[in-house]
Amino acid sequence: MKLRLPFEWLVALRYLREGRMQTVLILSGVVGGVAVIVFLTQLITQLQAAIIERTLGSQAHIVVRPPEEVARRSLPPQSTAAIVQPRSQRLRSVDQWEAVLGLAADTPGVVAVSPVVSGAGFALRGTANQAIALTGIDTERYRRVVHVDRYLVAGRFAVGGPDTVIGVELAKDLGVTVGDRIRVLTAEGRDELLTIVGLFDIGNRDLNRRWVFVGIKLAQSLLDLPGGVSNLDIVVDDIFGADAVADRLRVQTGLQVDSWMQTNAQLLSALRNQSVSNGLIRAFVVAIVAVGIASVLVVSVVQKQREIGILRAMGASPGRVMTVFLLQGGLYGLVGSGLGVALAIGLLHFFARVYRNADGSPLFAPEIDSGIALGACGVALLVGLASALLPARRAARMDPVQAIRT
Amino acid sequence: MNAGGTIVELQGICKSYGLDTPVATQVLHGIDARLAEGEFVALVGPSGSGKSTLLNIIGLLERPTSGRLSIAGRDTAALGEADLTELRGRTIGFVFQFHHLLPGFTALENVMMPAIIDRGLADAQAEARARELLAHVGLAGAERKKPSQLSGGMQQRVAVARALALSPRLILADEPTGNLDTKSAEAIFDLLLQFNREMRSACLIVTHDPRLAARCQRRIEIVDGRIVGA
């Protein structure tokens, strides 16, 4: 004989087995609910992560720029009319950028800071020419801000001296590849002959056509910005905390500081809306599952009324009778959520096979975050216990004489 | 425990229902009675005379409205719900009119249940005792059967075995033979008598059957909530 279970477990498990149909039905309800929650949460989390990664993969989380130049009225106050023309913004350096860089690097939450010199120019080869965005960087520092190596399709990512790294589209337009030379010309009238050492593909045609990476010194001389940088690119550890870090830097430096959250406000609100609707779906599913468990147990308590009376007559205290029903609710939640997580894993594998990116790679990885899985099980357990509370109390408060007589 | 001791003592027990309503009814009017250890007593009376209520009060399932009740020398008025539950579980065994076995459990598990409740889980000792009791009531071999697979007489025998699981000092039986044929009823009654003799458990049996009542050591008769003959 293997029945060595504590009284409460023995009775709870036997009642679950006895009400086979009820148990199977409510369990499949819990399984379905948990599977939907885990699957949806995982799917949305992964898709959002992929979208953010794609958006932020090629841009800094925070960009520090010199303040915009504004035109001020210099007429005496009693003059009657004036037309104030907005000023055109010329390329300027961030004032005392080394100090700002030090300040930014010491700000909590900041992972890396990279000085960047960027401006407009033209790339020429033979009769072909293309408008480009000249970006002067320090290879090592920039690597920590944008994972350029990940996008590299040929050569290596190392700029400095006459070495440059350009996008695949620009290379195609100019008919060049790694090892070839191109001439770069800027509006300042300076030009330089560069050697291509690497090609990248960021996955955005426009950026692939326009971005040209060169060493910071070369960019400074080409853009006539000796010793200066046009902006500082910053990466933070918590991407959704970028706004807070940006606000702090703005106050501290008086410079123009933009976070990705401001420049991608629409994307962000779309992601937020998605999260809110996911939260709503979750709340409704949890509520429905809770009502389901509670109603099954209420029926069970009524069905078992006489047995509860007998158990009480045999010396079972109200507390232990209550435990019997709480256990049933908890088991519904725990077993249901375990199976639900398993079902969600199955669903993810299935949909990962069905939905693919344009390049054939899966749209999302069919993996379950253990935090989400454990969280779902924990919530299901609590919901099970909470929904059992009312029926269990009813069972515990039953008058044994009345219960046996009915 | 001396055989001459008192297991149940009732002094002026009254019970009323619906005291907070305008139609309060008094069911028991000052019952005085005493049950010695090992006594075998019949409780008789017409329907509605208050027999079952009295049995429930002695069984600690209901509290009297007034009066004093001692079980095994302990004044029950002073005990809280938890103590009452424990006293009930350890001292009293119930046999109900309808067997009231737990349908989801086997005959063996049903007989083990009082021990499981008392000790928290089923141990080897409880199982051995339950097998012994089942054999004693003539159900060796039926351990694994569910109540629904047993006849009415067999079910009631399982219920008797269950009542004896913890060797209680007091057995309360509410018309234990009420829904059985004469032969099965005799058998159940014989079993109770036998255990009473062997284990010195006091027995209080509610019965309508004058023949069975005549076989008890003593009769307590109540009519309209009053003892009319003892």
Side-chain angles (χ1 to χ4, degrees), chain B residues 2-37:
Chain B
N2 70 62
T6 303
I7 181 75
V8 180
E9 184 153 23
L10 304 164
Q11 286 176 337
I13 293 289
C14 293
K15 180 71 182 177
S16 300
Y17 289 107
L19 277 180
D20 44 357
T21 68
V23 285
T25 46
Q26 192 166 1
V27 181
L28 297 175
H29 304 264
I31 301 279
D32 297 308
R34 184 179 163 278
L35 214 65
E37 297 268 12

Coordinates of all heavy atoms in Angstrom, one line a residue, chain B residues 2-37:
Chain B
N2 N -11.3 2.7 35.4 CA -12.0 1.6 36.0 C -13.4 1.4 35.4 O -14.0 2.3 35.0 CB -12.0 1.8 37.6 CG -12.9 2.9 38.0 OD1 -14.1 2.8 37.7 ND2 -12.4 3.9 38.6
A3 N -13.8 0.1 35.5 CA -15.0 -0.2 34.8 C -16.2 0.4 35.4 O -17.3 0.6 34.8 CB -15.2 -1.8 34.8
G4 N -16.1 0.8 36.6 CA -17.3 1.4 37.3 C -17.3 2.9 37.0 O -18.3 3.6 37.5
G5 N -16.4 3.5 36.3 CA -16.3 5.0 36.1 C -17.4 5.4 35.2 O -18.2 4.7 34.6
T6 N -17.6 6.8 35.1 CA -18.7 7.3 34.3 C -18.1 7.9 33.0 O -17.1 8.6 33.0 CB -19.3 8.5 35.0 OG1 -19.8 8.0 36.3 CG2 -20.5 9.1 34.2
I7 N -18.6 7.5 31.9 CA -18.2 8.0 30.6 C -19.0 9.2 30.1 O -18.4 10.2 29.6 CB -18.1 6.9 29.5 CG1 -17.6 7.4 28.2 CG2 -19.5 6.2 29.3 CD1 -16.1 7.7 28.2
V8 N -20.3 9.2 30.4 CA -21.2 10.3 30.0 C -22.0 10.7 31.2 O -22.6 9.9 31.9 CB -22.1 9.9 28.8 CG1 -23.0 11.1 28.5 CG2 -21.4 9.4 27.6
E9 N -22.0 12.0 31.5 CA -22.9 12.5 32.5 C -23.7 13.7 32.0 O -23.1 14.7 31.6 CB -22.1 12.8 33.8 CG -23.0 13.3 34.9 CD -22.4 13.0 36.3 OE1 -21.1 12.9 36.3 OE2 -23.1 12.9 37.2
L10 N -25.0 13.6 32.1 CA -25.9 14.7 31.6 C -26.6 15.3 32.8 O -27.2 14.5 33.6 CB -26.9 14.2 30.6 CG -26.4 13.5 29.4 CD1 -27.5 12.7 28.7 CD2 -25.8 14.5 28.4
Q11 N -26.6 16.6 33.0 CA -27.3 17.2 34.1 C -28.1 18.4 33.6 O -27.6 19.4 33.1 CB -26.4 17.7 35.2 CG -25.7 16.6 36.0 CD -24.7 17.1 37.0 OE1 -24.2 18.2 36.8 NE2 -24.5 16.4 38.0
G12 N -29.5 18.2 33.6 CA -30.4 19.2 33.2 C -30.1 19.8 31.8 O -30.2 21.0 31.5
I13 N -29.9 18.8 30.8 CA -29.6 19.3 29.4 C -30.9 19.7 28.8 O -31.9 19.0 28.7 CB -29.0 18.1 28.6 CG1 -27.6 17.7 29.1 CG2 -29.0 18.4 27.1 CD1 -26.5 18.7 28.9
C14 N -30.9 21.0 28.3 CA -32.0 21.5 27.5 C -31.5 21.9 26.2 O -30.3 22.3 26.0 CB -32.6 22.8 28.2 SG -33.4 22.4 29.8
K15 N -32.3 21.8 25.1 CA -31.9 22.2 23.8 C -33.1 22.9 23.1 O -34.2 22.3 23.1 CB -31.4 21.0 23.0 CG -31.0 21.4 21.6 CD -29.7 22.2 21.6 CE -29.3 22.6 20.1 NZ -28.1 23.4 20.1
S16 N -32.9 24.1 22.7 CA -34.0 24.8 22.0 C -33.4 25.2 20.6 O -32.2 25.5 20.5 CB -34.4 26.0 22.7 OG -34.9 25.7 24.0
Y17 N -34.3 25.3 19.6 CA -33.9 25.7 18.3 C -34.6 27.0 18.0 O -35.8 27.2 18.5 CB -34.2 24.7 17.2 CG -33.3 23.5 17.3 CD1 -33.8 22.3 17.7 CD2 -32.0 23.6 16.9 CE1 -33.0 21.2 17.8 CE2 -31.2 22.5 17.0 CZ -31.7 21.3 17.4 OH -30.8 20.2 17.5
G18 N -34.0 27.9 17.2 CA -34.7 29.1 16.8 C -35.0 30.1 17.9 O -36.0 30.7 17.9
L19 N -34.0 30.2 18.8 CA -34.3 31.1 20.0 C -34.4 32.5 19.5 O -35.0 33.4 20.2 CB -33.1 30.9 21.0 CG -33.3 29.8 22.0 CD1 -32.1 29.7 22.9 CD2 -34.6 29.9 22.7
D20 N -33.7 32.9 18.4 CA -33.7 34.2 17.9 C -34.9 34.5 17.0 O -35.0 35.5 16.4 CB -32.4 34.6 17.3 CG -31.9 33.5 16.4 OD1 -32.6 32.5 16.3 OD2 -30.8 33.7 15.7
T21 N -35.8 33.5 16.9 CA -37.0 33.7 16.0 C -38.2 33.6 16.9 O -38.1 33.1 18.1 CB -37.1 32.6 14.9 OG1 -37.3 31.4 15.6 CG2 -35.8 32.5 14.1
P22 N -39.4 34.1 16.4 CA -40.6 34.0 17.3 C -41.1 32.6 17.4 O -42.0 32.4 18.2 CB -41.6 34.9 16.5 CG -41.0 35.1 15.1 CD -39.6 34.8 15.2
V23 N -40.6 31.6 16.6 CA -41.1 30.3 16.7 C -40.1 29.3 17.3 O -39.8 28.3 16.8 CB -41.6 29.7 15.3 CG1 -42.9 30.4 14.9 CG2 -40.5 30.0 14.3
A24 N -39.5 29.7 18.5 CA -38.5 28.9 19.1 C -39.2 27.6 19.6 O -40.3 27.6 20.1 CB -37.9 29.6 20.3
T25 N -38.5 26.5 19.4 CA -39.0 25.2 19.9 C -38.0 24.6 20.8 O -36.8 24.5 20.5 CB -39.3 24.2 18.7 OG1 -38.2 24.3 17.9 CG2 -40.6 24.6 18.0
Q26 N -38.5 24.1 22.0 CA -37.6 23.4 22.9 C -37.7 21.9 22.6 O -38.8 21.3 22.6 CB -38.0 23.7 24.3 CG -36.9 23.2 25.3 CD -37.0 23.8 26.7 OE1 -37.9 24.6 26.9 NE2 -36.1 23.5 27.5
V27 N -36.6 21.3 22.3 CA -36.6 19.8 22.0 C -36.3 19.0 23.2 O -36.9 17.9 23.4 CB -35.6 19.6 20.9 CG1 -35.6 18.1 20.4 CG2 -35.9 20.5 19.6
L28 N -35.4 19.4 24.0 CA -35.0 18.7 25.2 C -35.3 19.5 26.5 O -35.0 20.7 26.5 CB -33.6 18.3 25.2 CG -33.1 17.4 24.0 CD1 -31.6 17.2 24.1 CD2 -33.8 16.0 24.1
H29 N -36.0 18.8 27.4 CA -36.3 19.5 28.7 C -35.6 18.9 29.9 O -36.1 18.0 30.5 CB -37.8 19.5 28.9 CG -38.6 20.0 27.7 ND1 -39.1 21.3 27.7 CD2 -39.1 19.4 26.6 CE1 -39.8 21.4 26.5 NE2 -39.8 20.3 25.9
G30 N -34.5 19.4 30.2 CA -33.8 19.0 31.4 C -33.5 17.5 31.5 O -34.1 16.8 32.3
I31 N -32.7 17.0 30.6 CA -32.3 15.6 30.6 C -31.2 15.3 31.7 O -30.2 16.0 31.6 CB -31.8 15.1 29.2 CG1 -32.9 15.4 28.2 CG2 -31.4 13.7 29.3 CD1 -34.0 14.4 28.1
D32 N -31.5 14.4 32.6 CA -30.4 13.9 33.5 C -30.2 12.4 33.2 O -31.1 11.7 33.2 CB -30.9 14.0 35.0 CG -31.1 15.5 35.4 OD1 -30.2 16.3 35.1 OD2 -32.2 15.8 35.8
A33 N -29.0 12.1 32.9 CA -28.7 10.7 32.7 C -27.2 10.5 32.9 O -26.4 11.4 33.0 CB -29.1 10.3 31.2
R34 N -26.8 9.2 32.9 CA -25.5 8.8 33.2 C -25.2 7.5 32.5 O -26.0 6.6 32.5 CB -25.3 8.7 34.7 CG -23.9 8.4 35.2 CD -23.9 8.3 36.7 NE -22.7 7.7 37.1 CZ -22.5 6.4 37.0 NH1 -23.5 5.6 36.8 NH2 -21.3 5.9 37.3
L35 N -24.0 7.4 31.9 CA -23.6 6.2 31.2 C -22.3 5.7 31.8 O -21.3 6.5 31.8 CB -23.4 6.5 29.8 CG -23.8 5.4 28.8 CD1 -25.3 5.1 28.9 CD2 -23.4 5.8 27.4
A36 N -22.3 4.5 32.4 CA -21.0 4.0 33.0 C -20.1 3.5 31.9 O -20.6 3.1 30.8 CB -21.3 2.9 34.0
E37 N -18.8 3.4 32.2 CA -17.9 2.8 31.2 C -18.3 1.4 30.9 O -18.7 0.6 31.8 CB -16.5 2.7 31.9 CG -15.8 4.0 32.2 CD -14.9 4.6 31.2 OE1 -15.0 4.1 30.0 OE2 -14.2 5.5 31.5

